[in-house]
Amino acid sequence: MTDKNMRLTTIVILLTAGILAGTQLGKIAPLVGWYQAEVGFSLVLTGWFTAMIGIFVALAALPAGWAIERAGARTSFVVSALVLAGGGAALALLQSPVAIFLARLVEGVGYLVLVIAIPALLNSVPPPRWRATALAVWGGFVPLGFAIGDFLARGIDAPANPRLYLAVTVLLFALFAAPAAMLLARIDDGGEERQAAQAPEGSFTATLTLPVILVALAFGIYVVVSIGFFTFLPTFVQRPDSALWISAGAISLTVLLGNFLASLLVRGSARRSLLLAVLGFAVTALAAWPAFTGSEGVSATAAVIVFAVAGGLTASTLFAAIPAIVPRGGSAAVAIGLVCQAGGIGTVLGPPLAAAVIDAHGWTGFAWLLVALSAAGVVCLAPLLIGRSARVAVDAGQATSNS
């Protein structure tokens, strides 16, 4: 196998392992009733248990990015994959409520490091012209992971066979993480691990430039929009007077169309990724109003689907833009950590914000919220696309990422 083919094979297996890591994030949802009835968790404790990994990311993704920079992405991937697999196996086997809670904590630590180490590897392992595409595909790992988890839960009948379901989900992850680790060990990294260990302390602060901060902020806004939309979409669809023609689950799967479009379109200049992200925000702003206030079935259903697809495009193109905005002397792992932390904070804040607006102002108010947040996303990215100095900064980052 040539080096190029080995790298492309590694990317595919690594992405699959990452998507199956996303499955671990959402695998608790089908078992909420079982954890209450059989394990003895209270409703409040079940809520914390379900949200635990997201809270981990919200609190610690940026320092985790710094730690990954120091240890090296490959070493971090191997260690965190072992931690996640170990925690997941314990979660499937243990019966004590305390032990189950601790197993999920261990799994959460592994997940936190993995979701930063994998995109960092996708920025270094592929040939330069494939890096943006690989990161664009990565931008859809959560909805893809949730979709796989949903199919597994239905196929195994998770509420009736909870331990089998938990074991299968973590086993599938391990079956792809192990060959990914072996392939990574065979690829010449050009001294990546040694360079990471010797990285100057200033690489952390050097990374936190305005472009990196603005992209992270834009991603956080996207997550608030997306998580609010998908959290309350089932409630909206199930109303007696709903005009939508398809289920919330089917609408959620259309996000993958946006991820696929991004993977096809991001090749080329860094500006293209940022322009596509702006386009995604603009389309969600335009689609939000007819999606939640329209009374005509065809137009309302089309608007909801367009909203979901545009969201997938936004997430993927923001990830694809990361290598191009990391300054010379900065760290992709730190930048990814900041982006992930912004997304984690958005995951925590999005549902209560949406609930408060819907409770106070109804679905019309929710539509206005989505419009306003999407417009804020456009405003965040505009400085990176307007003016010669912005173009020079982005192009410099692109040159660094390809060197």
Side-chain angles (χ1 to χ4, degrees):
M1 185 184 295
T2 65
D3 181 70
K4 179 180 178 181
N5 288 339
M6 182 181 294
R7 288 176 184 271
L8 292 177
T9 301
T10 303
I11 295 166
V12 172
I13 297 176
L14 189 62
L15 279 169
T16 306
I19 290 165
L20 289 165
T23 301
Q24 314 311 308
L25 176 65
K27 68 183 179 183
I28 300 301
L31 303 179
V32 167
W34 179 76
Y35 276 111
Q36 289 182 261
E38 300 297 329
V39 180
F41 283 179
S42 67
L43 183 61
V44 172
L45 186 58
T46 304
W48 282 106
F49 188 65
T50 304
M52 187 183 298
I53 288 182
I55 294 170
F56 257 65
V57 176
L59 293 176
L62 180 56
W66 176 82
I68 290 166
E69 178 205 8
R70 305 295 296 173
R74 299 178 190 221
T75 301
S76 299
F77 172 79
V78 173
V79 173
S80 58
L82 288 171
V83 170
L84 186 147
L91 190 65
L93 296 173
L94 299 176
Q95 299 183 18
S96 161
V98 173
I100 288 172
F101 207 83
L102 290 175
R104 186 63 169 171
L105 280 172
V106 171
E107 195 176 41
V109 172
Y111 177 89
L112 168 65
V113 177
L114 269 177
V115 298
I116 301 171
I118 291 176
L121 288 167
L122 295 175
N123 182 50
S124 61
V125 171
R129 71 188 190 93
W130 286 99
R131 290 174 185 173
T133 300
L135 284 166
V137 175
W138 172 254
F141 87 99
V142 169
L144 274 170
F146 271 64
I148 291 172
D150 183 64
F151 286 127
L152 287 173
R154 292 172 186 271
I156 297 173
D157 191 4
N161 304 285
R163 298 196 185 281
L164 175 62
Y165 167 68
L166 292 171
V168 169
T169 56
V170 76
L171 179 61
L172 282 174
F173 164 75
L175 287 175
F176 284 90
M182 289 187 286
L183 285 168
L184 286 169
R186 295 175 58 187
I187 294 174
D188 179 18
D189 65 0
E192 174 201 305
E193 302 292 290
R194 292 189 302 275
Q195 291 173 17
Q198 298 168 4
E201 295 292 337
S203 64
F204 181 89
T205 54
T207 305
L208 303 184
T209 58
L210 182 61
V212 172
I213 291 170
L214 289 176
V215 168
L217 181 58
F219 188 76
I221 291 171
Y222 154 76
V223 172
V224 173
V225 169
S226 178
I227 199 74
F229 175 81
F230 287 111
T231 298
F232 294 99
L233 183 61
T235 303
F236 183 75
V237 172
Q238 292 165 11
R239 294 177 309 137
D241 60 341
S242 174
L244 300 184
W245 287 2
I246 59 176
S247 69
I251 294 166
S252 299
L253 287 177
T254 63
V255 173
L256 304 180
L257 294 176
N259 303 138
F260 178 71
L261 281 173
S263 69
L264 296 178
L265 297 174
V266 293
R267 297 182 193 177
S269 71
R271 286 175 55 80
R272 177 181 293 186
S273 294
L274 295 171
L275 283 168
L276 286 168
V278 167
L279 175 63
F281 274 124
V283 171
T284 55
L286 293 172
W289 183 259
F292 287 97
T293 64
S295 58
E296 207 282 317
V298 174
S299 61
T301 302
V304 170
I305 292 173
V306 168
F307 187 101
V309 173
L313 178 72
T314 301
S316 291
T317 51
L318 285 173
F319 260 103
I322 291 173
I325 59 170
V326 176
R328 191 175 298 277
S331 163
V334 171
I336 291 166
L338 180 61
V339 170
C340 289
Q341 183 143 357
I345 293 170
T347 301
V348 173
L349 296 181
L353 173 62
V357 170
I358 293 168
D359 186 54
H361 304 288
W363 295 107
T364 300
F366 183 53
W368 277 119
L369 174 68
L370 296 178
V371 170
L373 288 171
S374 298
V378 173
V379 171
C380 275
L381 297 176
L384 303 181
L385 297 168
I386 298 173
R388 184 175 181 277
S389 60
R391 289 195 295 272
V392 169
V394 171
D395 291 341
Q398 178 69 37
T400 302
S401 68
N402 288 340
S403 61

